[in-house]
């Protein structure tokens, strides 16, 4: 089969890496891909937002399957465009991707169907937001959330009323996220551990992936600003079997079933971001795509053929799909550019990559890298993910950090406590 992966991050490198292992894969393409995918696929310089360009390419090359990594093309309707042309594609259609594309829609959907989530109210103007904030319904901290996509930065945690008013001004008046801030949610702040709960669905059936835990904060001890994710482990130390079943029942099946009833048949990967509160798991957000970096440790543990799995979802035959996983825990530690998630410089030469890769059992997934003249340079905030899967989580982490000790670039920073929260697990 000819397969196209859309996107250019660590998630897409991990998906491409797994797809490349399938005996069914004859030729793999990535658009636009990154220097890591270059070794296993042909990189095609088409942006993920250029859905017509991507559809033209897939049609011309007679692509057998396309796998969408990031959310943007999904919310722009790439699945509708491909399906109109009779091309097989993995992901939800535009109407269904609204679950990620509009936090207001997602919140109203959850309220309508009693899916546990933080309480929130909608404001469609700065005046309305100010009114809400001046009432005594809310205590602080609270969360101001832009309705639309905001490259993972749309949730602003505000410790005081002044900070909340400032966030409203930035989002609704200064429009730091453009139209995405036309409406906001003023949301209750939830306390607890976060979990990424990720499943596949063909709209009727649900196939869960192994659990994972992301590390969103920039610095050790969950300090510093939120990032796209500084590392992930699988399984999650906090989602044991009882809780797993509870999440499936109270959240996942309910979501997929009610979406279908509302004419939004969910086909693709559904990522539920959860806060595990004292009152039980509550939904923070839905994503219509795989997680980054959660995908990296998940793919390391997947023993089944990813091509077969994705095809079964596209063809509505997921009821028969069972995924085989390695029992070995896995870990991914992200190396980031100095300053990330705030401003950072690009173009720093990366040393020691080859030496790190020589360690048996190490897999490195590229994200923000550039290849030129035989050398790798930094080209983004999250530069790469260093991953391992051994008999124990401790060994996986030890190996990943051993490899990281060989890698360096100016300003490189990473968390030294990925997976450490395991110690607190009950
Ligand atoms: P979101 O874009 O909704 O996933 O939010 C990004 C991050 O903000 C989450 O992963 C949480 O760390 C944090 N967050 C979002 N909503 C809440 C909430 N209601 N209470 C506490 N933290 C939140
Ligand atoms: N790692 C968080 C996300 O993929 O949304």
């Amino acid at each position: 089969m000819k397969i196209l992966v859309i996107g250019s991050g660590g998630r897409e490198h991990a998906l491409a890496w797994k797809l490349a292992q399938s005996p069914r894969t004859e030729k793999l393409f990535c658009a636009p891909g990154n220097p890591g995918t270059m070794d296993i696929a042909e990189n095609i310089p088409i942006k993920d937002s250029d859905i017509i360009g991507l559809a033209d390419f897939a049609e011309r090359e007679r692509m057998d399957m396309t796998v969408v990594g990031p959310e943007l093309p999904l919310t722009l309707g790439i699945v509708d465009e491909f399906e109109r042309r009779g091309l097989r594609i993995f992901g939800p259609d535009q109407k269904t991707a609204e679950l990620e594309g509009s936090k207001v829609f997602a919140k109203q959907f959850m309220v309508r169907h009693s899916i546990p989530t933080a309480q929130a109210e909608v404001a469609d103007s700065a005046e309305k937001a100010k009114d809400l904030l001046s009432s005594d319904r809310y205590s602080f901290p609270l969360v101001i959330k832009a309705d639309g996509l905001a490259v993972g930065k749309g949730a602003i945690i505000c410790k005081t009323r002044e900070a909340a008013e400032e966030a409203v001004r930035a989002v609704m008046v200064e429009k730091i996220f453009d139209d995405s801030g036309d409406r906001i949610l003023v949301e209750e702040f939830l306390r607890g551990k976060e979990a990424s709960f990720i499943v596949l669905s063909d709209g009727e059936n649900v196939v869960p992936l192994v659990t994972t835990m992301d590390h969103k904060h920039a610095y050790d001890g969950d300090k510093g600003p939120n990032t796209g994710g500084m590392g992930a482990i699988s399984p999650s130390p906090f989602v044991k079997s009882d809780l797993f079943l509870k999440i499936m029942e109270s959240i996942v099946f309910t979501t997929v079933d009610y979406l279908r009833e509302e004419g939004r048949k969910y086909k693709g990967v559904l990522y539920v971001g959860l806060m595990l509160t004292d009152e039980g798991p509550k939904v923070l957000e839905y994503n219509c795509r795989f997680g980054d970096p959660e995908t990296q440790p998940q793919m390391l543990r997947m023993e089944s053929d990813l091509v077969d799995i994705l095809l079964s979802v596209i063809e509505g035959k997921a009821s028969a799909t069972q995924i085989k996983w390695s029992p070995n825990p896995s870990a991914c530690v992200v190396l980031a550019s100095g300053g990330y998630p705030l401003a950072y410089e690009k173009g720093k030469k990366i040393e020691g990559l080859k030496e790190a890769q020589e360690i048996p059992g190490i897999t490195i997934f590229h994200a923000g890298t550039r290849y030129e003249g035989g050398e790798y340079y930094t080209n983004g905030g999250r530069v790469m993910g260093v991953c391992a899967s051994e008999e124990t989580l401790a060994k996986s982490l030890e190996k990943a950090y051993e490899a990281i000790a060989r890698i360096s670039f100016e300003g490189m920073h990473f968390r030294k406590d990925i997976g450490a929260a395991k110690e607190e697990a009950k």
Side-chain angles (χ1 to χ4, degrees):
M1 285 175 59
K2 286 170 111 177
I3 301 175
L4 169 65
V5 176
I6 295 174
S8 62
R11 167 184 53 206
E12 288 76 18
H13 186 186
L15 290 171
W17 175 82
K18 193 67 207 162
L19 291 167
Q21 290 170 15
S22 168
R24 301 182 71 174
T25 304
E26 285 160 34
K27 173 104 188 146
L28 194 59
F29 299 89
C30 286
N34 65 37
T37 63
M38 209 162 65
D39 295 335
I40 47 175
E42 184 178 336
N43 283 350
I44 305 295
I46 308 176
K47 281 206 284 202
D48 64 3
S49 55
D50 180 7
I51 60 177
I52 299 298
L54 289 163
D56 287 347
F57 173 75
E59 201 164 32
R60 199 166 59 240
E61 289 287 335
R62 296 173 199 265
M63 210 60 65
D64 296 297
M65 177 166 73
T66 297
V67 183
V68 187
E71 61 276 14
L72 182 63
L74 294 169
T75 58
L76 291 175
I78 191 166
V79 171
D80 310 64
E81 180 63 30
F82 271 56
E83 286 182 344
R84 231 186 332 267
R85 302 189 193 200
L87 293 162
R88 258 204 220 116
I89 185 161
F90 177 84
D93 61 19
Q94 186 170 27
K95 190 174 166 199
T96 310
E98 207 181 354
L99 200 61
E100 175 164 4
S102 168
K103 290 195 190 282
V104 171
F105 167 76
K107 184 65 69 179
Q108 290 169 342
F109 172 82
M110 288 186 269
V111 170
R112 223 169 20 250
H113 301 298
S114 306
I115 295 170
T117 184
Q119 290 195 8
E121 284 178 286
V122 182
D124 52 14
S125 68
E127 290 70 43
K128 171 90 189 289
K130 239 180 247 158
D131 280 353
L132 289 179
L133 290 176
S134 60
S135 71
D136 49 17
R137 280 202 293 284
Y138 287 93
S139 55
F140 293 85
L142 55 68
V143 190
I144 299 289
K145 285 188 175 179
D147 179 37
L149 296 184
V151 286
K153 296 184 177 164
I156 306 173
I157 295 166
C158 308
K159 293 203 173 115
T160 61
R161 178 167 285 117
E162 292 68 40
E165 284 168 359
E166 179 51 39
V168 166
R169 199 162 36 247
V171 174
M172 304 196 88
V173 181
E174 289 159 27
K175 297 250 168 230
I176 54 171
F177 305 127
D178 299 318
D179 297 354
S180 288
D182 285 353
R183 292 189 297 174
I184 60 161
L185 290 177
V186 180
E187 182 167 297
E188 168 203 10
F189 179 79
L190 298 177
R191 282 169 221 280
K193 294 275 177 210
E194 281 189 54
S196 314
F197 201 86
I198 304 171
V199 304
L200 305 178
S201 174
D202 61 6
E204 303 268 350
N205 308 286
V206 173
V207 186
L209 303 187
V210 274
T211 60
T212 55
M213 186 173 100
D214 188 11
H215 295 64
K216 288 237 163 71
H217 292 272
Y219 310 125
D220 288 4
D222 285 345
K223 302 271 170 17
N226 256 338
T227 68
M230 294 296 289
I233 55 169
S234 173
S236 160
F238 303 112
V239 184
K240 305 285 187 213
S241 55
D242 283 5
L243 183 57
F244 183 93
L245 292 176
K246 185 168 179 187
I247 295 167
M248 287 292 279
E249 288 299 331
S250 69
I251 296 172
V252 176
F253 289 130
T254 323
T255 300
V256 170
D257 289 346
Y258 281 117
L259 279 173
R260 190 178 60 244
E261 272 186 23
E262 293 190 4
R264 300 172 198 250
K265 201 167 172 189
Y266 201 96
K267 195 192 69 191
V269 57
L270 176 64
Y271 169 141
V272 189
L274 295 169
M275 189 67 89
L276 307 176
T277 73
D278 290 343
E279 294 168 1
K282 294 190 179 182
V283 179
L284 290 177
E285 62 163 349
Y286 289 109
N287 294 316
C288 293
R289 48 164 179 82
F290 287 96
D292 191 347
E294 290 92 328
T295 304
Q296 290 82 318
Q298 286 178 323
M299 289 304 122
L300 276 196
R301 294 186 60 201
M302 184 180 276
E303 289 178 346
S304 304
D305 187 324
L306 183 58
V307 174
D308 290 340
I309 296 168
L310 299 184
L311 278 178
S312 77
V313 170
I314 295 175
E315 289 165 359
K317 295 178 186 155
S319 62
T321 300
Q322 281 197 338
I323 307 179
K324 198 160 175 281
W325 302 97
S326 158
N328 289 356
S330 54
C332 170
V333 181
V334 170
L335 305 184
S337 293
Y340 173 80
L342 307 176
Y344 58 83
E345 290 178 6
K346 297 181 187 176
K348 308 294 180 194
K349 190 167 161 193
I350 302 168
E351 310 276 5
L353 200 51
K354 199 164 149 280
E355 290 76 3
Q357 248 148 351
E358 276 164 7
I359 299 176
I362 280 293
T363 308
I364 297 182
F365 293 120
H366 287 238
T369 65
R370 181 167 60 80
Y371 183 72
E372 202 182 300
E375 304 283 357
Y376 293 95
Y377 298 87
T378 66
N379 196 36
R382 291 189 291 175
V383 176
M384 60 182 73
V386 180
C387 309
S389 182
E390 302 284 329
E391 304 90 76
T392 64
L393 177 64
K395 283 189 184 162
S396 303
L397 289 162
E398 197 186 319
K399 184 154 266 189
Y401 284 113
E402 182 193 339
I404 289 171
R406 299 187 179 187
I407 305 174
S408 63
F409 54 84
E410 192 189 315
M412 175 171 116
H413 81 90
F414 59 94
R415 280 185 59 165
K416 295 169 191 68
D417 65 346
I418 298 302
K422 188 181 184 303
E423 307 311 320
E424 300 162 29
K426 291 187 195 104

